[in-house]
Amino acid sequence: DAMVIQNPRYQVTQFGKPVTLSCSQTLNHNVMYWYQQKSSQAPKLLFHYYDKDFNNEADTPDNFQSRRPNTSFCFLDIRSPGLGDAAMYLCATSLDPQHFRYFGPGTRLTVT
Amino acid sequence: AQKITQTQPGMFVQEKEAVTLDCTYDTSDPSYGLFWYKQPSSGEMIFLIYQGSYDQQNATEGRYSLNFQKARKSANLVISASQLGDSAMYFCAMRDSFGNEKLTFGTGTRLTIIP
C-alpha cells in the first residue's frame, strides 16, 4: 500500500507557467518535506512543514512556495519555472525530525 | 558543520559477490543518525538501514548490514550476495541536532551488478 503518494509522476510545463506538484500521505506523520534532486546529484531540501509550521531553507529561491492545507496533503508551487528548475521533486514524511523519512516516488518535472 | 562523504562515484560488482559502499561523516554532535537509501532508475528513494550513534551493535536488515566504526566516523553499507536488482544509486545520509535534524545526503554511489 502506498504511503506517500505524489501526483503527477511526470509533469511538463512551459517556461514561466506556474505549476503545482502534489503530495499526500496515509501515515499521519507530523512532518512533510520537499526535496529537489537534479540529475546525478543528491537530494536538496527546499523546505518542510512541522505540523502547520513552515520552515524554509535559506537558499531556497522565492520562486518556490509550499502549502499544507491539512495533515495529509502538501503542495509545491513553482510560480515561474525556469529551465534550471527541471528536476526530480521528492516528497518525504517523518513522524518527527528525529525519525527516518519515508519518500514518495517523486515527480519528474520538465520545463520546455 | 555536518558533512557526508561518499568517495566512490561508481562501482561494478559481479552478481552474487558481496559489496561494500563507503561513507564517512563529520559531526561534533554526540547524538546523530545515519541512513542508507537506495534509488533505482525510477527515482523513488527506498530506505534500507538505520544506525543510531548510541547503538551498540551494527544494524542489519536482511542482506544489508552497516559497518559502523564510530571512532573513524565511518558507516559503510555492506550488501551480501548481490543481485541484479541491486543496481541503483545508493545514498548515505545523516541527521543531527546541530543541523536542526535535517537529513543531509552524500553525493551517492552508482552500483552496477554484472551478470
Side-chain angles (χ1 to χ4, degrees):
Chain A
D1 293 336
M3 296 182 288
V4 183
I5 303 161
Q6 290 189 246
N7 286 309
R9 294 292 310 277
Y10 300 90
Q11 176 75 57
V12 180
T13 191
Q14 293 178 333
F15 182 94
K17 185 176 181 180
V19 65
T20 295
L21 308 182
S22 169
C23 177
S24 64
Q25 54 136 339
T26 59
L27 297 162
N28 204 32
H29 280 174
N30 297 310
V31 194
M32 296 186 77
Y33 307 84
W34 279 105
Y35 288 84
Q36 179 194 62
Q37 186 181 24
K38 296 188 176 180
S39 181
S40 301
Q41 295 184 19
K44 177 181 177 296
L45 182 64
L46 295 173
F47 28 56
H48 73 275
Y49 272 95
Y50 194 156
D51 292 328
K52 295 182 180 179
D53 292 333
F54 178 68
N55 298 272
N56 196 30
E57 294 302 301
D59 55 355
T60 298
D62 293 339
N63 199 24
F64 291 84
Q65 304 287 325
S66 186
R67 297 169 283 134
R68 189 179 186 185
N70 53 52
T71 300
S72 301
F73 284 86
C74 194
F75 300 98
L76 169 62
D77 301 308
I78 309 177
R79 293 191 296 187
S80 181
L83 297 178
D85 296 328
M88 173 73 88
Y89 289 87
L90 295 163
C91 175
T93 74
S94 65
L95 185 61
D96 58 51
Q98 285 75 32
H99 284 78
F100 64 81
R101 279 61 165 161
Y102 289 90
F103 282 84
T107 294
R108 194 175 296 277
L109 178 69
T110 301
V111 182
T112 60
Chain B
Q2 64 173 178
K3 184 178 177 183
I4 294 283
T5 303
Q6 294 181 255
T7 57
Q8 306 153 310
M11 288 187 69
F12 290 85
V13 173
Q14 203 75 37
E15 188 181 7
K16 299 181 184 178
E17 288 186 352
V19 57
T20 297
L21 305 182
D22 295 340
C23 174
T24 57
Y25 59 93
D26 184 25
T27 180
S28 50
D29 187 352
S31 176
Y32 54 89
L34 297 158
F35 305 80
W36 277 93
Y37 284 88
K38 172 184 178 181
Q39 189 176 42
S41 56
S42 60
E44 183 176 2
M45 295 286 280
I46 302 167
F47 167 74
L48 295 178
I49 198 166
Y50 167 80
Q51 181 83 43
S53 57
Y54 293 119
D55 293 344
Q56 294 297 314
Q57 294 188 329
N58 287 347
T60 61
E61 290 286 348
R63 293 187 299 113
Y64 304 108
S65 60
L66 201 151
N67 184 3
F68 182 45
Q69 299 187 42
K70 195 170 182 177
R72 297 179 61 183
K73 294 188 175 180
S74 163
N76 298 339
L77 176 70
V78 180
I79 306 174
S80 63
S82 58
Q83 303 170 357
L84 296 179
D86 293 333
S87 294
M89 196 75 170
Y90 288 79
F91 288 97
C92 179
M94 181 176 73
R95 64 112 192 110
D96 67 4
S97 60
F98 287 4
N100 295 320
E101 305 297 344
K102 290 190 301 185
L103 195 63
T104 300
F105 289 86
T107 51
T109 296
R110 183 168 298 280
L111 176 65
T112 303
I113 306 299
I114 305 167

